[in-house]
Amino acid sequence: EGFEVPDITELYGEDDRPTGSAMHGGEREALWRLAASCADVAYVCEFEKPKTGSTGQKGKPWEPSTTGLSPYLKFGCISVRTAWHAFAACYEGRQHAQPPQSLHGQLLFREMFYVLGSSVPNWDKAEGNSMCKQIPWGEDKQLLDAWIEGRTGYPFIDALMRQLRTTGWMHHLGRHAVACFLTRGDLWQHWTAGRDIFDKYLLDSDWALNNGNWLWLAGVAPFSAPYFRIYDPCPGAKSSLNAEQSGEFVRHFVPELKAMPDKYIYTPWKAPMQVQQLARCVIGKDYPSPIVDHKVAREQNLAKFKAALERRLGGAAALPGKFGAGSKQDPGPMQTLYASAEKGADVPSKVGKGDNFPGHRSTATKGSKSEGKGIGRFFKLAGTTADEATTETGASSDVQPSTQRKRRWGPGSGKGPTSSGGGLSCPVQVDLSD
């Protein structure tokens, strides 16, 4: 008595309950997701987090463009070591991306935040936290509620927040966008308010990581991205937020805009009234007007952040010209060593040839029968079974779970990570029978 698992209605209201329907729980599902990712060796080797899409998979905006393993790692459905060695088996003898952008790099970030969370007093607070600059954030419940409920008038932000509340999931770059928008970018609200909402809704919410990422994205930590690098909440094709431009993500999560032309999907208030009427979405009536003017809010917030740093440092805080007044666009996607090497650019000698760094070419070729064997050996060692017989590029897989349950994601579902470079269809068959 006293240790019962609480009913979900004790934590969430009837209209405030994440479905989690896209991510079934348990070890079986975790292993299937890992197998689905590692079945495409090219996907694992080429994975660089800054290059993944914030708006899901093409044609399936509700499906992660990443592995989707973070909730399973958080709940212990799969161990970090299991994931690490599975990725290592894919890397074996092949050219592959490197930390921090690679899949191994993502696991190392997790460990970094665990170390900081366990060693920095008041890690989850603004005061008494050596990793947090003191910024005089505002406190406006109306602004915060609009952000939480996905009615800021910025379709990209609103779609992401509605995705969070209905599925418990949001892509890494989406989290960047909404956190920046709430704090230093537009609304000037305290990062702990956003942290608490993420803690409430995210399936993969983890105390150390959630606090660390909000410190990072609010621009207040020593390891933060520069505070003056503010995301545009209306991402274009060249934005570092990697948002698709057809509008399918927004239309899926913000159905009010389902008939809005692609041209105006991220800026519907710019559509002529006739276009809004034809789309049956009049801005200010059927969908909110922008809650703030981004250009104005951006400049005001940059000035406030700069002033706070000057008071803290007792002197001027330089602001690079390209990020100050007059800056018109996002600098674009992050350039990575792996991508540079693929384009034939020079790379530092420490990531040169011969050490499985960018520039090192494997003797295994895509689609060859030797390509999937590393991961096959791994799953045998992990205590599951694997079929090391691989198929040529383009061959379909009829792998199905032993329970014959229709899958929403993973091998046999027709969903999950795919490779544009000719990976394997599914070299891993995992026996998950009871």
Side-chain angles (χ1 to χ4, degrees):
E1 186 177 349
F3 295 96
E4 298 85 359
V5 175
D7 188 272
I8 193 170
T9 57
E10 298 179 35
L11 305 175
Y12 302 92
E14 286 297 325
D15 299 325
D16 193 34
R17 188 182 303 178
T19 64
S21 60
M23 293 184 172
H24 299 285
E27 181 184 26
R28 176 175 299 175
E29 186 75 13
L31 289 172
W32 271 106
R33 284 182 174 270
L34 182 61
S37 294
C38 292
D40 191 341
V41 176
Y43 168 81
V44 174
C45 290
E46 296 168 5
F47 182 98
E48 292 184 297
K49 194 64 167 283
K51 301 295 185 182
T52 56
S54 61
T55 45
Q57 297 183 32
K58 185 176 181 180
K60 301 183 289 255
W62 58 89
E63 293 283 359
S65 63
T66 53
T67 65
L69 285 171
S70 56
Y72 302 92
L73 291 168
K74 177 261 176 77
F75 282 104
C77 302
I78 192 170
S79 75
V80 175
R81 291 185 179 185
T82 296
W84 178 277
H85 290 298
F87 302 146
C90 291
Y91 293 159
E92 185 179 351
R94 301 177 181 87
Q95 177 191 358
H96 60 85
Q98 293 293 308
Q101 294 95 355
S102 66
L103 285 167
H104 271 178
Q106 304 313 300
L107 295 176
L108 291 174
F109 267 126
R110 179 181 183 274
E111 299 307 306
M112 180 188 83
F113 281 138
Y114 268 55
V115 170
L116 288 170
S118 64
S119 60
V120 176
N122 301 309
W123 178 244
D124 59 348
K125 298 177 176 62
E127 292 74 28
N129 182 351
S130 62
M131 293 289 166
C132 183
K133 301 181 182 74
Q134 298 304 304
I135 303 295
W137 301 109
E139 186 176 348
D140 188 318
K141 188 176 186 303
Q142 289 185 329
L143 293 179
L144 180 61
D145 286 347
W147 177 82
I148 294 170
E149 295 167 12
R151 44 181 186 81
T152 67
Y154 286 91
F156 181 62
I157 300 299
D158 291 346
L160 288 165
M161 291 305 295
R162 295 187 194 187
Q163 179 189 33
L164 170 65
R165 294 184 68 204
T166 56
T167 70
W169 171 260
M170 189 190 297
H171 184 274
H172 166 77
L173 291 174
R175 303 181 198 199
H176 277 225
V178 300
C180 180
F181 187 88
L182 179 68
T183 57
R184 58 193 167 86
D186 292 83
L187 303 186
W188 198 250
Q189 300 301 292
H190 204 294
W191 63 269
T192 57
R195 183 271 318 277
D196 291 343
I197 295 303
F198 271 29
D199 186 58
K200 179 178 181 179
Y201 289 109
L202 279 175
L203 291 171
D204 62 7
S205 178
D206 182 299
W207 182 84
L209 278 65
N210 193 28
N211 281 287
N213 277 306
W214 274 94
L215 286 163
W216 184 321
L217 296 171
V220 296
F223 48 79
S224 288
Y227 76 91
F228 43 77
R229 196 184 192 294
I230 291 175
Y231 292 104
D232 188 338
C234 310
K238 295 183 179 180
S239 170
S240 58
L241 293 171
N242 300 345
E244 58 85 25
Q245 299 296 300
S246 72
E248 65 174 355
F249 179 78
V250 167
R251 293 188 181 96
H252 181 78
F253 290 105
V254 187
E256 303 98 295
L257 296 169
K258 62 183 178 182
M260 188 65 67
D262 295 357
K263 178 180 179 181
Y264 301 110
I265 197 65
Y266 289 130
T267 55
W269 62 90
K270 293 184 179 180
M273 181 54 66
Q274 184 179 7
V275 173
Q276 295 181 33
Q277 291 171 340
L278 287 172
R280 298 180 297 281
C281 184
V282 175
I283 303 306
K285 176 184 176 183
D286 303 303
Y287 179 72
S289 300
I291 196 168
V292 295
D293 182 319
H294 171 66
K295 290 183 179 179
V296 173
R298 176 184 183 277
E299 297 305 324
Q300 291 175 343
N301 293 350
L302 281 172
K304 286 188 284 190
F305 209 112
K306 180 174 180 286
L309 292 184
E310 288 176 344
R311 288 193 296 271
R312 176 174 175 269
L313 299 173
L319 180 65
K322 70 174 182 176
F323 290 103
S327 175
K328 296 181 179 179
Q329 62 184 11
D330 188 315
M334 179 187 295
Q335 296 301 307
T336 62
L337 291 173
Y338 181 83
S340 298
E342 283 291 282
K343 295 176 182 177
D346 292 334
V347 296
S349 58
K350 69 178 181 179
V351 290
K353 299 177 180 178
D355 295 312
N356 276 342
F357 289 126
H360 173 63
R361 296 289 177 179
S362 166
T363 55
T365 58
K366 290 177 180 178
S368 70
K369 290 193 174 184
S370 63
E371 187 178 8
K373 290 185 177 180
I375 187 63
R377 288 197 302 272
F378 163 74
F379 273 95
K380 281 190 172 181
L381 291 172
T384 58
T385 61
D387 182 357
E388 290 186 15
T390 61
T391 56
E392 294 296 332
T393 302
S396 62
S397 169
D398 61 355
V399 176
Q400 295 286 346
S402 58
T403 59
Q404 298 301 307
R405 174 167 65 88
K406 182 178 180 181
R407 298 201 53 73
R408 296 174 182 266
W409 196 100
S413 68
K415 302 178 181 179
T418 59
S419 171
S420 59
L424 301 173
S425 61
C426 188
V428 180
Q429 183 174 351
V430 184
D431 181 5
L432 297 175
S433 57
D434 294 328

